[in-house]
Amino acid sequence: YHKFMATSVPLKLVIINFAIFIALRLIGIIAMIGGWDINAVVDYLALPSPLDILAQHPWTAVTYMFTHYEVFHIIFNMLTLYWFGKMLLLRCSNRQLVWLYIYGGLLGATFFLVGAQLFDGVGGWLLGASSAVIAIVIATAVLMPDFRISLFLIGSIHIKWVAIAAFLFFALGLVGDNAAAHITHFGGMTMGIIFALL
């Protein structure tokens, strides 16, 4: 516990996300052996688009942004969260970073829920930290676009170009394979801009 509390805020968020991921994967193995459906567990953490189900599971507006089940999904999100989170701490406090993560996730959830009511292609159950993470990426790029970092095999590069690459991954759907994921990402981007401007 004390070691956890002594770690940086970005690392704390990464640890929480991975702990939930590992727990779900272990439950998934048990489910496979027992012949029951892991989705019954995941659906208690993922954000549902039907408003009547959401009313019964209101906590999912928060739990979904800490819940992953696909390996590539969590690895990409957590690497991005850690790198950009550490950089953003040069310009904001630990408390601000945590709230940006939460607000990015909440606005992403709002975009998802509104989109699900307006468009047939958006809906289902949403999970993953993508909107929270992209909020941190965009806020960092807006606040200090010319901050330089060193990347393996590339060398020194302005953070704005890394952010643009991350933006393309999220916005063009290379992370996430459905309309729900795409519209949620734009909620996170919007929050990142709002945070930086304020």
Side-chain angles (χ1 to χ4, degrees), residues 52 84 98 121 167 181:
D52 56 334
F84 280 87
V98 171
F167 168 86

Side-chain angles (χ1 to χ4, degrees), residues 43-61 63-64 109 112-113 116-117 123-127:
D43 287 352
Y44 272 93
L45 300 174
L47 179 69
S49 61
L51 298 182
D52 56 334
I53 300 178
L54 176 61
Q56 299 173 30
H57 301 155
W59 60 85
T60 57
T63 57
Y64 95 92
F112 165 68
L113 293 172
Q117 312 314 309
W125 273 255
L126 182 69
L127 71 162

Side-chain angles (χ1 to χ4, degrees), residues 4-5 9 11 25 53 73 108 117 139 156 170 183:
F4 173 78
M5 295 306 296
V9 166
L11 187 55
R25 297 298 292 196
I53 300 178
H73 192 196
Q117 312 314 309
S156 180
F170 283 108
I183 196 169

Side-chain angles (χ1 to χ4, degrees), residues 154-171:
I154 296 178
S156 180
I157 186 173
H158 286 135
I159 194 174
K160 61 187 175 186
W161 299 117
V162 180
I164 289 171
F167 168 86
L168 292 175
F169 269 102
F170 283 108

Side-chain angles (χ1 to χ4, degrees), residues 5 9 17 21 39-40 66 79 81 83 106 113-114 130 152 173 180:
M5 295 306 296
V9 166
N17 275 274
F21 169 77
N39 289 326
F66 294 95
L79 287 175
L81 167 62
W83 290 333
L106 290 176
L113 293 172
V114 172
S130 298
F152 181 64

